[in-house]
Amino acid sequence: MRRPLEISVVGGCGHVGLPLSVSLSSAGFQVVAFDISSGAVEKVNSGISPFWEPGLDEALGLALANGFQAQTNSNFIAKSDVVIVIVGTPIDVHLNPDPNAVVKAVEEIVSKLNNDQLLILRSTVFPGVTTQVERLLRRLGLQTSVVFCPERIAEGFAMKELFELPQIIGARTDEDFKRASEVFESLGIKVIHTTPEEAELAKLFTNTWRYIKFAAANQFWMMANDSGVNFENVRNAIRFEYPRASDFPAAGFTAGPCLFKDTMQLAAFSNNTFALGNSAMMINEGLPFYIVERLSNKYDLGNTKVGLLGMAFKGESDDNRSSLAYKLKRILKFKSGGVLTSDPYVKNDADLVSEEEVVEKSDLLIISAPHLRYKQLATDKPIVDIWNLRGEGSAV
Ligand SMILES: NC(=O)c1ccc[n+]([C@@H]2O[C@H](COP(=O)([O-])OP(=O)(O)OC[C@H]3O[C@@H](n4cnc5c(N)ncnc54)[C@H](O)[C@@H]3O)[C@@H](O)[C@H]2O)c1
């Protein structure tokens, strides 16, 4: 009988690395997550996911029982058939991508790679990174096959979507495509063959497309709001039995570690001539300023204590990476009579106080992350709710 493939996942304790690792383990592969974060490795090996992801703790428990483990040393890579790289690829404070993040991660493990392995790049990358990695390997005399297979899950849906979303496989040869297909088809999903360059752009276009759609909704919301028209009524009317507008998003903070960052990667890739992407960035990143501006027309903001409900970048999540709630907090700290913040899920923010304290001590409340609990929040204080969670309208 053929032995199960052995798979190393580099960055395997991260938000996308861990769900993928345990899912591949459930599909019967021998999987080891290699990660430089000893804290995350420790947590994973004790059966606790380092972050919120529904269904992950249960799947992790099963995976550990089936032999999955996390390690801070990269030794397992040398005996792996398949090596998946899924490290973070952030932009810097000047919005520049680091096209070398993945190349560097590969450089660090290169002594463990061999010609028979399949190297799957899965981070969202600046276009051309697959070629850079191939060049690095060939320069060192390695013939390791390299494919680019982007991750397209949304946080909070990983354990469902990993078993549903088709996998784009950017492979130079049919043989490489077949080898990568064996990995992803084990999750019961369909695969589609492109070149690595097509797959790199497919991932960036996917996220940027969403970012631009949210920007359009946010701009429409501001237009309606400025002219005193109820945006919710307009949106409902547009979507009513009209399938072509079924994906018309609601207004809301468009934030988090991916959409903005990937739009900026594409902007840099197009030599900063990506007018649509830059406009979307100005609209989405401008929303906290717009809200504060509107509030300062309505309230004596300098003497108003403002309470922010929710600091995560999306509803029900503990992830506050690149959350616009923090930008709102920064602006309000400057312009209001004080800001209090709370979030029932976020764990890494020492400034947070309880929801009760925020509600009690604030004159004005802003829902800054759409956690569903705020639908029911009982208070007679004014609440700004651009998501219209409470069904009372999103006007500011
Ligand atoms: N978060 C998402 O929902 C999502 C969805 C699709 C794609 N992506 C993309 O996936 C990639 C990873 O994102 P993430 O959110 O999982 O990031 P993350 O920061 O949560 O995870 C990255 C992990 O890699 C580890 N790491 C960093 N450098 C390493 C190295 N050299 N060797 C071994 N481990 C290393 C870190 O310790 C961390 O645990 C990014 O390119 C991102 O754009 C993310």
Side-chain angles (χ1 to χ4, degrees):
M1 207 177 75
R2 237 177 104 203
R3 68 171 176 84
L5 287 182
E6 300 190 338
I7 302 181
S8 287
V9 181
V10 179
C13 294
H15 286 79
V16 294
L18 187 58
L20 179 69
S21 298
V22 302
S23 299
L24 291 175
S25 167
S26 77
F29 298 115
Q30 176 66 42
V31 183
V32 168
F34 161 58
D35 204 293
I36 52 171
S37 165
S38 52
V41 164
E42 215 171 284
K43 270 198 156 175
V44 167
N45 284 334
S46 67
I48 301 164
S49 164
F51 47 85
W52 166 86
E53 187 64 59
L56 182 55
D57 276 343
E58 296 82 341
L60 174 60
L62 289 174
L64 289 167
N66 285 337
F68 164 71
Q69 53 173 295
Q71 295 178 353
T72 48
N73 79 63
S74 57
N75 292 340
F76 187 79
I77 293 175
K79 66 185 286 261
S80 300
D81 305 291
V82 175
V83 181
I84 303 177
V85 177
I86 181 68
V87 297
T89 49
I91 47 174
D92 71 14
V93 289
H94 304 292
L95 310 183
N96 299 307
D98 174 4
N100 294 317
V102 168
V103 184
K104 262 187 253 156
V106 173
E107 244 165 350
E108 282 162 22
I109 56 161
V110 85
S111 64
K112 309 276 183 343
L113 297 179
N114 65 57
N115 291 344
D116 299 324
Q117 291 168 326
L118 177 67
L119 178 62
I120 299 180
L121 305 181
R122 195 159 179 77
S123 304
T124 305
V125 297
F126 188 79
V129 162
T130 310
T131 300
Q132 294 286 340
V133 168
E134 286 170 325
R135 275 196 201 136
L136 165 75
L137 298 178
R138 306 301 173 250
R139 221 173 32 240
L140 296 169
L142 280 163
Q143 298 309 316
T144 319
S145 296
V146 185
V147 293
F148 180 71
C149 301
E151 178 61 83
R152 293 193 294 170
I153 55 156
E155 269 181 56
F157 300 93
M159 299 315 293
K160 189 169 169 284
E161 292 188 342
L162 274 165
F163 297 91
E164 286 177 359
L165 297 181
Q167 179 61 51
I168 298 171
I169 297 180
R172 300 224 184 273
T173 66
D174 288 344
E175 177 57 23
D176 291 349
F177 173 66
K178 212 168 127 220
R179 289 175 74 189
S181 297
E182 191 185 340
V183 174
F184 293 104
E185 282 176 343
S186 71
L187 302 175
I189 56 177
K190 294 183 181 150
V191 292
I192 175 161
H193 189 175
T194 67
T195 66
E197 288 69 29
E198 288 162 350
E200 289 173 346
L201 277 186
K203 173 62 196 182
L204 289 181
F205 286 174
T206 303
N207 276 4
T208 302
W209 171 241
R210 269 167 66 70
Y211 192 71
I212 291 171
K213 274 203 294 195
F214 290 133
N218 284 333
Q219 177 115 63
F220 292 156
W221 175 77
M222 289 188 254
M223 273 182 201
N225 200 52
D226 283 339
S227 54
V229 171
N230 185 323
F231 175 78
E232 302 313 319
N233 287 348
V234 177
R235 182 169 172 260
N236 286 344
I238 293 171
R239 286 158 42 104
F240 179 63
E241 295 187 13
Y242 189 65
R244 280 193 291 281
S246 59
D247 63 344
F248 189 123
F253 286 158
T254 308
C258 288
L259 299 190
F260 174 42
K261 178 254 300 181
D262 292 340
T263 305
M264 291 305 99
Q265 297 213 71
L266 206 50
F269 177 63
S270 64
N271 304 326
N272 283 357
T273 61
F274 184 25
L276 199 53
N278 282 314
S279 298
M281 182 269 275
M282 285 162 68
I283 296 162
N284 289 330
E285 289 289 308
L287 197 55
F289 289 106
Y290 174 85
I291 291 170
V292 175
E293 186 67 23
R294 292 287 301 189
L295 292 175
S296 59
N297 293 336
K298 216 164 155 183
Y299 299 92
D300 173 13
L301 210 51
N303 289 307
T304 303
K305 197 157 251 177
V306 184
L308 298 189
L309 299 166
M311 300 305 287
F313 85 85
K314 70 193 288 188
E316 312 318 304
S317 170
D318 65 354
D319 192 348
N320 57 0
R321 292 180 296 169
S322 308
S323 167
L324 279 178
Y326 286 89
K327 188 167 191 170
L328 183 62
K329 178 183 171 186
R330 224 169 30 243
I331 304 165
L332 285 168
K333 262 185 127 170
F334 192 68
K335 297 210 165 182
S336 75
V339 193
L340 287 165
T341 56
S342 75
D343 191 295
Y345 304 108
V346 169
K347 306 273 185 307
N348 59 355
D349 178 351
D351 275 355
L352 298 184
V353 297
S354 72
E355 188 174 302
E356 292 72 28
E357 189 176 338
V358 166
V359 173
E360 194 195 311
K361 293 188 176 163
S362 304
D363 307 305
L364 168 68
L365 299 165
I366 304 179
I367 297 179
S368 37
H371 299 318
L372 294 177
R373 61 196 282 122
Y374 303 140
K375 276 185 183 189
Q376 264 79 43
L377 186 80
T379 174
D380 49 10
K381 307 263 170 84
I383 300 192
V384 172
D385 176 14
I386 58 168
W387 281 275
N388 192 28
L389 267 188
R390 296 163 68 82
E392 293 162 359
S394 59
V396 175

